[in-house]
Amino acid sequence: MLSLLCLVLFVPRVLSSSTPVAGIFPQDPALRMGSSLTATCTVSPERGLHANTMYWTMNGKRLPSSTYDLMSPNCLSVTLHHLNGSQQQSGDNLVCHSGDGHVLAGSCLYVGMPPEKPVNLTCWSRNTKDLSCKWTPGGRGETFIKTKYTLKYKLRWYGRERECEDYSTGQRYTCYIPRDLALFTPYEIWVEASNQLGTATSDVITLDILDVVTTDPPDNVHVSRVGELEDQLTVHWGSPPALKDFLFQAKYQIRYRLEDSTEWKVVDDVGNQTSCRLAGLRAGTVYFVQVRCNPVGIYGSRKAGIWSDWSHPSAASTPHSERLQSGSCEPKPGEQNSTLRRELKQFFGWVRKHAYGCSGMSIKLYDQWRVWLQKSHKTRNQVGKNNIPFISVPTQHRLHSYVL
């Protein structure tokens, strides 16, 4: 479809007179991609120029004369077909020049598409004090011309519509509401997208602030050794201080990795305890550990909650293994079951000598036996029995983590 559009941009004469010398018609149009445009440049008769000496440029590039049409001695038109999206959001520069290259008039072309409906609108509150929301542009996003996004919200059953004002969070398509939020009352929240070609509105989400609470990462995260056990570390941390006055039950996750690795292993079953023991680790190895928190059920909320960021990494190393230093060998697959039975037999034999009654059976008692076993290996190494191989517990029987 061919549309005749006219822009008028007046460029003052080089002389002191304010009489316009030329104009483009139409001025600064907004067009859909794929459309056509015919624009005219009319020069003032006082200028003494003839239209057949003028030419057009788009973004500094001269347009071919085959696109021109001499409308009159003072008017030259240009026709552009199947326009592509604007190369810059400030618009493409269409300029009319005199034969000697001087600029006579100019216009900006805004070529794109109407915005599409924003999607993936999600919100979260840090410690119930504020609300942040983010979304994703629909379809092609900015559609070549600048699109304005406005986050709007209101109380579900009453209250006036309000607009979020702080879009300076450092992340695109995010807005921050710092204060004046009600608890125990649902909000309706949506996003409107608009540009020069139209508007679009996201789906409305309904939420209660207490259902979307996240918190600061756990603080005072400490990692330490478990006596002389070379395959274990203990992790302790503090509960979120910002939520100390709220009724809730926190869930925690731990992740850890080797010093020279980027692969994290996650421990999901920590529960609401503020300590955990990691087992099945490598001896003589530095581990980095992080913890995060999910404040579940604040004031009886039934929602799952939102995980906090991970805490700053804390590090500790497991003790070196004397057995590994003196030479080791792994058991063959067929030997693993007999190895496990032999070690369990040693353990229960040790229990009969050192524990009395069923009350003595505990993880701590197992730890004491592990220490005794390691010391016995050290003693054997010191007297020169270096030919005793190190037999590791099969991986499927190791305890990888447990709560203290």
Side-chain angles (χ1 to χ4, degrees):
M1 179 180 67
L2 178 64
S3 58
L4 179 62
L5 300 176
C6 301
L7 336 155
V8 180
L9 173 64
F10 294 110
V11 179
R13 298 178 62 182
V14 177
L15 304 176
S16 59
S17 172
S18 60
T19 303
V21 296
I24 291 181
F25 190 81
Q27 183 71 36
D28 300 345
L31 306 167
R32 283 178 175 259
M33 292 173 55
S35 61
S36 299
L37 165 71
T38 294
T40 60
C41 178
T42 303
V43 67
S44 172
E46 299 179 9
R47 185 72 176 178
L49 295 175
H50 197 282
N52 62 5
T53 65
M54 299 188 302
Y55 65 91
W56 293 87
T57 62
M58 174 77 83
N59 294 330
K61 183 178 180 179
R62 188 163 179 161
L63 297 174
S65 58
S66 60
T67 61
Y68 304 167
D69 190 8
L70 186 62
M71 308 294 291
S72 73
N74 299 321
C75 182
L76 182 69
S77 70
V78 65
T79 299
L80 306 173
H81 295 288
H82 308 296
L83 290 169
N84 295 320
S86 295
Q87 297 181 17
Q88 48 197 19
Q89 288 190 347
S90 58
D92 293 327
N93 298 315
L94 180 65
V95 179
C96 174
H97 300 262
S98 63
D100 58 4
H102 286 87
V103 174
L104 298 176
S107 175
C108 289
L109 306 185
Y110 299 96
V111 184
M113 296 295 289
E116 297 189 34
K117 181 176 75 173
V119 295
N120 301 328
L121 174 59
T122 57
C123 302
W124 63 96
S125 173
R126 186 171 295 276
N127 303 318
T128 75
K129 304 299 183 183
D130 55 20
L131 189 69
S132 297
C133 297
K134 66 178 180 180
W135 59 92
T136 304
R140 301 182 184 180
E142 294 292 344
T143 65
F144 299 99
I145 57 179
K146 186 175 182 179
T147 301
K148 179 183 179 182
Y149 293 90
T150 305
L151 180 78
K152 297 185 177 183
Y153 63 101
K154 72 179 187 68
L155 292 172
R156 184 176 185 180
W157 294 300
Y158 59 91
R160 61 183 178 86
E161 179 181 300
R162 306 177 67 178
E163 293 186 3
C164 180
E165 299 178 352
D166 187 356
Y167 296 87
S168 59
T169 60
Q171 297 183 8
R172 299 187 69 185
Y173 315 121
T174 303
C175 197
Y176 176 66
I177 304 171
R179 64 182 70 86
D180 300 330
L181 294 167
L183 302 181
F184 306 103
T185 303
Y187 280 92
E188 292 182 345
I189 304 174
W190 67 96
V191 176
E192 291 184 359
S194 61
N195 63 21
Q196 293 155 295
L197 295 173
T199 61
T201 303
S202 72
D203 293 333
V204 178
I205 64 172
T206 303
L207 60 84
D208 190 308
I209 300 297
L210 295 177
D211 292 337
V212 293
V213 175
T214 186
T215 187
D216 302 313
D219 59 357
N220 299 321
V221 178
H222 297 288
V223 186
S224 57
R225 295 180 177 181
V226 183
E228 298 183 47
L229 297 179
E230 74 269 13
D231 68 338
Q232 298 185 23
L233 291 172
T234 299
V235 188
H236 293 270
W237 60 90
S239 58
L243 296 178
K244 60 183 179 63
D245 296 328
F246 289 84
L247 179 63
F248 75 102
Q249 184 175 10
K251 289 169 54 179
Y252 296 97
Q253 277 186 344
I254 296 175
R255 69 178 185 179
Y256 62 96
R257 65 173 175 84
L258 300 173
E259 181 181 25
D260 56 355
S261 174
T262 58
E263 181 181 353
W264 293 92
K265 294 183 179 180
V266 178
V267 181
D268 287 313
D269 55 351
V270 180
N272 64 348
Q273 304 296 320
T274 56
S275 63
C276 181
R277 186 180 297 185
L278 304 177
L281 307 178
R282 294 184 187 176
T285 304
V286 175
Y287 283 88
F288 286 92
V289 181
Q290 291 179 296
V291 185
R292 66 177 181 175
C293 175
N294 186 336
V296 179
I298 294 182
Y299 287 139
S301 169
R302 297 183 179 181
K303 299 296 183 179
I306 299 175
W307 287 104
S308 72
D309 294 332
W310 290 102
S311 64
H312 292 296
S314 299
S317 63
T318 53
H320 287 279
S321 171
E322 294 293 337
R323 292 176 291 170
L324 289 176
Q325 292 177 357
S326 61
S328 64
C329 64
E330 291 291 335
K332 296 179 181 179
E335 299 174 351
Q336 290 185 347
N337 290 335
S338 60
T339 298
L340 179 60
R341 287 194 297 269
R342 184 166 56 252
E343 290 201 357
L344 288 174
K345 183 177 180 181
Q346 291 176 353
F347 170 59
F348 287 115
W350 183 87
V351 167
R352 285 195 295 270
K353 294 181 180 179
H354 295 83
Y356 303 93
C358 294
S359 61
M361 295 293 292
S362 67
I363 288 295
K364 291 185 177 180
L365 191 61
Y366 175 78
D367 290 343
Q368 294 174 18
W369 173 72
R370 290 287 307 278
V371 172
W372 171 84
L373 187 64
Q374 291 176 29
K375 288 182 177 180
S376 67
H377 277 288
K378 293 179 182 179
T379 303
R380 293 172 186 172
N381 291 337
Q382 291 172 357
V383 298
K385 293 185 179 180
N386 294 330
N387 59 339
I388 298 178
F390 166 61
I391 307 298
S392 62
V393 177
T395 304
Q396 63 268 30
H397 298 293
R398 292 183 183 174
L399 179 64
H400 289 283
S401 67
Y402 48 88
V403 177
L404 297 179

